Amino acid sequence: QLYRNAQAAMATVRSSEAADSLEVRMTAMQQYRLAIRKYSDAIQLMPQNHGLWSNRALCHAALKQWDQCREDGLRSTQLKSDFSKGWFLVAKAMWKEGSRSA
């Protein structure tokens, strides 16, 4: 839900040509940061939950924090090796980082 709230705020930025789009963009970024903190708290309670790791990776990707996205994506695939969303996030982060090796 946290990721979706931030995503909705960013969609508003994309569809809006309002003068305050910078303010909307900043609000969306704050939502992603808040989501990262909440997912981090949840990971402390349930570190074996691959979904929490991948959702936090998505938030890092939205903020273009590719290193953290890759790390969380890898952790989600270590917990569930057939988790395609996790592998996608790892690949995207590596591509954005310009990396050719895991």
Side-chain angles (χ1 to χ4, degrees):
Q1 184 63 31
L2 295 168
Y3 175 78
R4 288 187 189 131
N5 291 345
Q7 194 175 32
M10 284 304 285
T12 302
V13 170
R14 286 187 212 104
S15 66
S16 171
E17 293 184 22
D20 64 341
S21 67
L22 179 60
E23 182 179 335
V24 175
R25 187 179 307 269
M26 294 296 290
T27 299
M29 291 175 71
Q30 289 172 344
Q31 291 289 325
Y32 284 119
R33 288 187 193 104
L34 173 63
I36 288 169
R37 284 195 302 271
K38 297 288 185 177
Y39 284 124
S40 296
D41 291 344
I43 287 169
Q44 290 293 316
L45 297 172
M46 299 184 326
Q48 300 302 314
N49 185 318
H50 70 281
L52 294 173
W53 290 94
S54 69
N55 287 345
R56 190 171 76 173
L58 276 172
C59 293
H60 286 303
L63 295 173
K64 299 182 180 179
Q65 298 171 340
W66 301 116
D67 210 28
Q68 295 95 329
C69 175
R70 180 178 40 80
E71 289 175 17
D72 284 356
L74 278 173
R75 183 65 181 134
S76 74
T77 61
Q78 290 169 348
L79 294 169
K80 185 168 172 43
S81 62
D82 63 344
F83 189 52
S84 59
K85 180 178 162 185
W87 287 113
F88 171 78
L89 289 165
V90 171
K92 182 175 181 176
M94 290 176 68
W95 175 62
K96 292 290 190 173
E97 290 178 311
S99 177
R100 294 189 184 268
S101 62

